[in-house]
């Protein structure tokens, strides 16, 4: 049936901090991880190599029912409640001889599992026949419902039971593809959940292979297949909250060049016969099926995992195929998913669509990616305020420039090595070279030219990297200034609101001797309003200077203009205060002679259009 390799995988410690940190980076719309260096997606090749599950064959699609009572009685001889897809856990465990078989004191985990196997074998049929088929279906329901496709909680679902009616056909389904769809669905769950349902070793080993700098895994058994057998989770005695905080910071600052896009380049196929039939499904965007789960594998978002440069693509906005709900308890009608998702099933049967790219650089993709995700992928405190995505875009371009410069450096080194080899060969056989028409000299001249061109390209990339670093630092400085001034402006506006309320209260309730207090508050209110407008203008000017800095305008000139404007606003504020005091003194004298009511306080004016911008 293709499940044998999963049972060869040794026990692995669960790493809830790692799975939670990864889930926080999952973009449900794209069905992909959104990291600072771009999209990454677990693929069918990952499933095949890590778990050994079959990713080829028929789509795991068929009928779902509102009630599995009659089907469970016929195929499992177990009770299932009406209008339910859940098998009672106790009855299922008893049928397999696993109920009330607890762990004894002083018993190791291996001894306990060995004893469980012995007890279970006594309960299971040892000869082929109807009873053996019944026992096998019960075991498969437990295996599928509590291991590969586990749901949160203690329930054991039997929604795959219709596919187990003919045991001879079970091995013909692409259970590995259904498993990947279930993983995507679990990653899309609410972040309030503290665990990820399903077979957790897969996601952990995927992170060990692609993000090794996180240091969460230990390679304890190298060379074993499937690859999950080689790894175990590294012990971490810190509190879960501390682990999560550390992992978030590590993902935010993860070195771009330490991302492993193709971890299987040095892997052979020895001992993995399932790879032969699985290989035609690798590197293709395709729809994945697990009954009512119909989800896309958007490998066109991760062309770098196929050894290509990432081209600009249209980012998925929403699922084009909506399913009724997350739980099978909400499926109240009998549904044929082969008919309802006919287009997606046909897509699977055609093996989806190959991924190709003509791009020579990732720059355009990274710019579009940064503008789409902005601060979402840069979760550290330095990047939370980058609402427009300008700093994110600069950082993405800088990472791309670093990668290109490293590649150019490697090319220069290789060309120099080849040039030295040719020169050494030419010096050892100079006479024969002259007799042969000087071909080594010609090769040496060509290699020398290639080295010069490569060094010139490397110098150009180094200059580009330095320019991007300077621009990035300027943008960060301006962003910091803008945040500080916005905070001051908000504080001033809060003070204006407070004083306006005080003035309104005094107007209604003031005793005759509070005129001086009213005059003082009105003067201070006017001063605070002037200060708030000045600060908002500075925020606006800094924002504009950031935009000009991307076009090459001097940052110092923009900042100087902002400071000058602030100083000019301060002097005009003092003049306005003096004029207001004189006007209020005249008004007080008139009121003392029986003048009219005190005029209402000035309306609170909001700042410029960018007041609170970016909130």
């Amino acid at each position: 049936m293709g499940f044998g390799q999963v049972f060869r995988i040794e026990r692995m410690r669960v790493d809830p901090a790692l799975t939670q940190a990864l889930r926080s980076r999952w973009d449900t719309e794209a069905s992909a991880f959104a990291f600072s260096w771009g999209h990454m997606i677990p693929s069918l090749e990952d499933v095949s190599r890590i778990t050994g599950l079959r990713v080829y064959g028929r789509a795991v699609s068929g009928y779902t029912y509102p009630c599995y009572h009659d089907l469970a009685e016929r195929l499992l001889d177990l009770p299932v409640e009406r209008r339910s897809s859940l098998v009672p856990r106790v009855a299922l465990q008893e049928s397999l001889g696993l109920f009330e078989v607890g762990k004894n004191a002083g018993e190791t985990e291996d001894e306990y599992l060995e004893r469980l196997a012995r007890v279970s074998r006594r309960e299971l049929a040892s000869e082929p026949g109807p009873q053996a088929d019944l026992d096998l279906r019960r075991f498969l329901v437990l295996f599928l419902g509590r291991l590969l496709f586990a749901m949160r909680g203690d329930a054991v679902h039997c929604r795959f039971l219709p596919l187990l009616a003919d045991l001879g056909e079970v091995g013909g389904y692409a259970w590995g593809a259904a498993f990947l769809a279930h993983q995507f669905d679990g990653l899309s769950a609410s972040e309030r959940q503290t665990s990820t349902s399903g077979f957790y070793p897969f996601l952990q080993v995927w992170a060990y292979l692609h993000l090794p700098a996180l240091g969460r895994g230990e390679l304890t058994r190298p060379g074993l297949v499937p690859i999950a057998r080689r790894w175990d989770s590294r012990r971490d005695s810190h509190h879960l909250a501390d682990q999560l905080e550390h992992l978030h910071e590590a993902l935010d600052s993860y070195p771009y060049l330490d991302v492993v896009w193709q971890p299987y380049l040095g892997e052979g196929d020895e001992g993995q016969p399932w790879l032969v039939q699985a290989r035609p499904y690798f590197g293709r965007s395709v729809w994945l099926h697990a009954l009512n789960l119909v989800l896309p594998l958007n490998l066109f978002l991760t062309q770098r995992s196929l050894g290509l440069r990432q081209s600009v693509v249209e980012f998925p906005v929403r699922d084009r195929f909506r399913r009724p709900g997350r739980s099978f308890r909400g499926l109240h009608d009998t549904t044929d998913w082969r008919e309802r998702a006919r287009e997606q099933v046909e897509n699977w049967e055609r093996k989806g669509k190959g991924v190709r790219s003509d791009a020579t650089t990732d720059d355009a993709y990274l710019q579009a990616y940064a503008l789409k995700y902005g601060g979402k992928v840069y979760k550290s405190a330095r990047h939370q305020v980058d609402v427009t995505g300008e700093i994110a875009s600069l950082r993405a371009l800088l990472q791309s420039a670093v990668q290109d410069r490293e590649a150019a450096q490697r090319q220069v080194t290789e060309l120099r090595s080849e040039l030295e080899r040719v020169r050494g060969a030419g010096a050892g056989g100079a006479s024969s070279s002259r007799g042969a028409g000087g071909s080594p000299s010609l090769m040496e001249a060509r290699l020398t030219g290639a080295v010069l061109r490569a060094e010139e390209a490397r110098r150009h990339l180094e200059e580009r990297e330095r320019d991007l670093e300077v621009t990035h630092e300027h943008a960060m400085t301006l962003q910091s200034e803008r945040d500080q001034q916005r905070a001051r402006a908000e504080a001033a506006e809060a003070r204006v609101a407070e004083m306006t309320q005080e003035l309104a209260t005094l107007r209604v309730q003031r005793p005759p001797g509070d005129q001086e207090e009213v005059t003082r508050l009105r003067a201070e209110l006017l001063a605070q309003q002037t200060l708030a407008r000045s600060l908002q203008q500075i925020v606006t000017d800094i924002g504009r200077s950031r935009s000009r800095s991307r076009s090459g305008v001097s940052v110092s000139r923009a900042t100087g203009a902002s400071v000058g404007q602030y100083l000019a606003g301060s002097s005009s504020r003092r003049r306005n205060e003096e004029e207001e005091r004189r006007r209020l003194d005249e008004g007080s004298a008139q009121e003392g002679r029986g003048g009219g009511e005190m005029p209402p306080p000035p309306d609170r004016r909001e700042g410029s259009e960018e007041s609170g911008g970016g909130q």
Side-chain angles (χ1 to χ4, degrees), residues 478-486 539 542-543 610:
L478 287 172
Q479 185 69 47
S480 177
E481 291 180 10
R482 183 175 184 175
D483 294 340
Q484 293 173 7
Q485 298 296 350
R486 180 184 288 119
V539 171
I542 291 177
E610 292 193 19

Side-chain angles (χ1 to χ4, degrees), residues 231-480:
W231 292 88
D232 199 359
S233 174
R234 193 183 300 275
R235 292 186 182 275
D236 193 335
S237 58
H238 294 88
H239 191 273
L240 178 60
D242 296 333
Q243 294 183 49
L244 270 174
E245 182 180 359
H246 170 75
L247 279 170
H248 284 311
E249 292 177 357
L251 288 172
D252 289 333
S253 58
Y254 195 90
Y256 181 75
L257 296 177
D258 287 349
V259 177
V260 180
W261 292 99
Q262 296 177 280
Y264 312 117
L265 285 180
E267 290 284 339
D269 295 352
E270 296 81 8
Q272 304 172 84
W274 60 88
L275 290 177
V276 176
Q277 292 177 272
R279 201 172 296 281
Y281 291 83
F282 295 169
R284 305 182 71 83
S285 292
V286 68
W287 283 90
L288 306 174
H289 300 263
L291 294 180
N292 71 318
L293 280 179
V294 184
L295 300 173
L297 175 60
N298 295 324
L299 280 192
F300 61 86
L301 295 175
T302 59
Q303 296 167 1
R304 286 173 288 183
S305 66
L306 305 177
L308 307 171
R309 288 288 196 174
Q310 180 65 50
S311 60
V312 178
V313 294
E314 182 180 355
F315 296 135
V317 176
R318 56 175 180 163
D319 293 336
R320 288 180 290 164
F321 186 84
R322 293 289 183 179
R323 58 191 179 85
R326 304 188 66 82
S327 171
F328 261 74
R329 300 169 201 175
L331 301 180
H332 300 299
D333 300 316
T334 299
T335 305
D336 182 1
W337 291 94
R338 284 191 167 276
E339 182 63 29
R340 181 165 178 174
R342 179 187 299 178
E343 180 182 350
Q344 288 75 23
V345 171
E346 292 175 353
N347 174 271
W348 171 260
E349 293 172 347
R350 295 193 304 267
K351 300 182 179 65
K353 183 178 181 180
V355 177
R356 295 178 177 82
S357 173
D358 297 327
T360 58
T361 177
D362 304 329
D363 286 4
Y365 161 78
L366 289 172
Q367 281 185 292
Y369 179 86
L371 290 174
K372 173 178 173 59
Y373 289 97
K376 293 180 181 179
V377 297
Y378 299 108
K379 293 183 179 290
S380 64
R382 297 183 67 197
H383 300 286
Q384 286 179 346
V385 293
D386 185 25
V387 178
T388 60
E390 295 174 5
I391 295 177
S393 179
L394 286 171
R395 188 179 180 189
L397 289 174
L398 179 59
Q399 290 175 334
S400 179
V402 170
Q403 184 188 34
D404 292 340
R405 192 253 304 159
E406 291 285 342
Q409 181 63 50
R410 288 194 296 269
Q411 186 178 17
V412 168
T413 303
E414 292 172 359
L415 287 172
R416 282 190 174 280
S417 299
E418 183 66 15
L419 179 59
E420 293 298 327
R421 187 189 67 78
V422 171
R423 283 176 175 172
S431 58
S432 60
S433 298
R434 285 192 294 270
S439 56
S441 299
L442 179 61
M443 183 179 295
E444 181 179 343
R446 289 177 177 174
L447 281 172
T448 302
V451 169
L452 292 175
R453 289 191 297 272
E455 288 181 340
E456 182 180 358
R458 185 197 62 188
R459 286 193 295 271
H460 172 73
L461 289 170
E462 287 175 349
E463 293 175 0
R464 179 169 179 257
E465 182 180 344
R466 285 194 295 271
D467 291 342
L468 284 170
E469 287 177 348
V470 171
T471 305
H472 181 261
E473 289 301 320
H474 284 336
M476 291 296 298
T477 301
L478 287 172
Q479 185 69 47
S480 177

Side-chain angles (χ1 to χ4, degrees), residues 88-104:
R89 178 181 57 83
V90 173
L92 181 60
Q93 287 180 326
E94 285 179 337
S95 70
L96 296 172
L98 299 176
F99 187 64
E100 292 184 347
V101 186
K103 187 176 180 181
N104 297 328

Side-chain angles (χ1 to χ4, degrees), residues 547-614:
S547 299
R548 289 197 297 269
S549 68
R550 299 185 68 191
S551 305
V553 177
S554 170
V555 176
S556 60
R557 188 188 315 159
T559 308
S562 300
V563 173
Q565 200 160 18
Y566 173 69
L567 294 176
S570 298
S571 60
S572 63
R573 173 170 56 84
R574 288 194 294 272
R575 289 195 299 272
N576 290 338
E577 290 175 4
E578 294 173 359
E579 292 175 0
E580 180 66 13
R581 288 195 188 97
R582 287 197 299 271
R583 188 175 65 81
L584 289 173
D585 290 341
E586 295 173 0
S588 299
Q590 292 177 2
E591 185 171 334
R593 295 191 296 268
E597 293 183 358
M598 184 183 72
D603 294 335
R604 175 190 173 191
R605 293 181 59 187
E606 301 292 340
S608 64
E609 289 181 351
E610 292 193 19
S611 173

